[in-house]
Amino acid sequence: MNILLMVDSVSTLFPKKVNITLIHAESREVIANHALNDFPLPEQFNKPTILDIGGSRWRVLKVEALRPGNYFRAAKIQLHVLPPDSIVRSDKYLVPTLVPPELTPTTKAAPLFNNFTLHITHDEWLQFEFLPLSALEQIQETTAVIESIINSTDDNNNLLGYSTSHTRDLTSIAKLEIPFDDFCTFTNIIARGNILLPNDTYIENGIALESGDHVYYGILNNGVITTLAIKEFDCLDEELSNVLSRYDLTFVDWCNASILGESDQ
């Protein structure tokens, strides 16, 4: 699951074939028709959404069901779309929360590891994050603010983006202290890489770590992981649950204001 919800944890699988018509949001011309079986869609189109349909990625700007009722019960749906990179709105935010740029250290220097390069945007940075369980109260306060943004009433189409975004600095306060070598052994890391931003700068002291099931990333200082996140998230599986338990962590999906694992500790 990416931060713009290609498929999220509350997705609904269609019980039968659904006919989706893709319409160019600017020209109004039909791009393609797709007859799809059991295609996952979010329960509501109430936030910025990108879907991968027919081998192409599309940003959804408007949804029309051609039959009455909730769209996910309809057999025919029109999606008004544009390529994700073609939408620029200075008054809108793609995500309801961000880490301030000054807390995202960058460098042109050679990275620590070179097995692979993890490409990431500022919007994606630390959106699926591990934090100390001891910071749970602060985390809950922050997610409450983000939830109010997600659920706020907006006369505009929320598919175009959020009207505001919360800048959170909890990451700089609730530092982790995870021994790097122990983490790599515990999660069976098979590759060690670096993190590259769109402007061709690296995250300073950034690390990307590939296990059998996940790609972790974060910041390493003096043999200790002080910041840790994962690139994509679908569910709290056994590996992630074991990481939470071993290092006394909780896991936050910031863009959905969701705290996971707290009840399992």
Side-chain angles (χ1 to χ4, degrees):
M1 181 182 74
N2 82 353
I3 62 170
L4 294 185
L5 302 181
M6 286 183 183
V7 179
D8 69 13
S9 57
V10 294
S11 293
T12 299
L13 285 175
F14 284 88
K16 57 183 179 180
K17 182 183 291 184
V18 58
N19 295 304
I20 295 179
T21 300
L22 297 180
I23 299 174
H24 196 281
E26 293 178 346
S27 69
R28 311 301 181 193
E29 294 181 357
V30 174
I31 298 171
N33 289 285
H34 297 279
L36 305 172
N37 288 305
D38 295 333
F39 186 75
L41 290 174
E43 186 175 356
Q44 299 182 67
F45 280 95
N46 60 351
K47 61 186 67 177
T49 303
I50 292 176
L51 297 175
D52 191 338
I53 300 178
S56 298
R57 299 177 74 226
W58 298 103
R59 174 86 177 273
V60 180
L61 301 185
K62 182 180 178 182
V63 181
E64 292 182 313
L66 302 187
R67 292 185 181 179
N70 293 332
Y71 83 85
F72 57 85
R73 298 183 185 278
K76 295 182 179 181
I77 297 172
Q78 290 184 346
L79 299 179
H80 296 250
V81 299
L82 286 176
D85 296 336
S86 67
I87 302 172
V88 179
R89 287 286 301 267
S90 59
D91 61 333
K92 291 290 186 178
Y93 298 88
L94 286 178
V95 289
T97 179
L98 289 166
V99 176
E102 59 269 22
L103 296 182
T104 308
T106 60
T107 181
K108 290 284 189 178
L112 297 174
F113 303 109
N114 288 292
N115 288 159
F116 69 100
T117 295
L118 177 64
H119 296 267
I120 202 163
T121 66
H122 184 62
D123 285 341
E124 295 173 306
W125 176 247
L126 302 183
Q127 297 291 18
F128 301 121
E129 186 176 21
F130 297 91
L131 287 167
L133 188 58
S134 58
L136 183 56
E137 183 176 348
Q138 295 166 292
I139 295 169
Q140 290 170 332
E141 292 173 355
T142 304
T143 54
V145 174
I146 299 168
E147 188 172 16
S148 69
I149 294 174
I150 295 172
N151 296 328
S152 63
T153 301
D154 194 333
D155 293 334
N156 298 313
N157 182 358
N158 282 340
L159 284 169
L160 297 178
Y162 300 97
S163 296
T164 186
S165 183
H166 175 66
T167 302
R168 64 183 195 275
D169 59 0
L170 187 58
T171 301
S172 64
I173 300 171
K175 291 289 187 182
L176 301 178
E177 295 182 358
I178 301 174
F180 178 68
D181 291 339
D182 183 81
F183 181 83
C184 291
T185 300
F186 184 70
T187 54
N188 296 312
I189 295 302
I190 58 178
R192 304 179 183 189
N194 53 75
I195 311 167
L196 188 66
L197 296 172
N199 59 358
D200 291 328
T201 59
Y202 295 101
I203 296 293
E204 187 175 6
N205 296 321
I207 53 170
L209 305 170
E210 182 181 352
S211 72
D213 295 319
H214 297 285
V215 174
Y216 301 87
Y217 70 91
I219 294 176
L220 176 67
N221 286 304
N222 299 318
V224 175
I225 299 173
T226 58
T227 301
L228 184 67
I230 54 176
K231 178 69 161 89
E232 297 183 353
F233 174 73
D234 289 314
C235 66
L236 198 65
D237 59 19
E238 182 177 4
E239 179 176 312
L240 296 180
S241 296
N242 289 340
V243 168
L244 297 184
S245 178
R246 183 174 182 86
Y247 301 109
D248 293 324
L249 306 176
T250 192
F251 180 80
V252 188
D253 173 358
W254 287 114
C255 284
N256 285 301
S258 177
I259 306 170
L260 302 174
E262 55 183 297
S263 61
D264 302 324
Q265 304 301 311

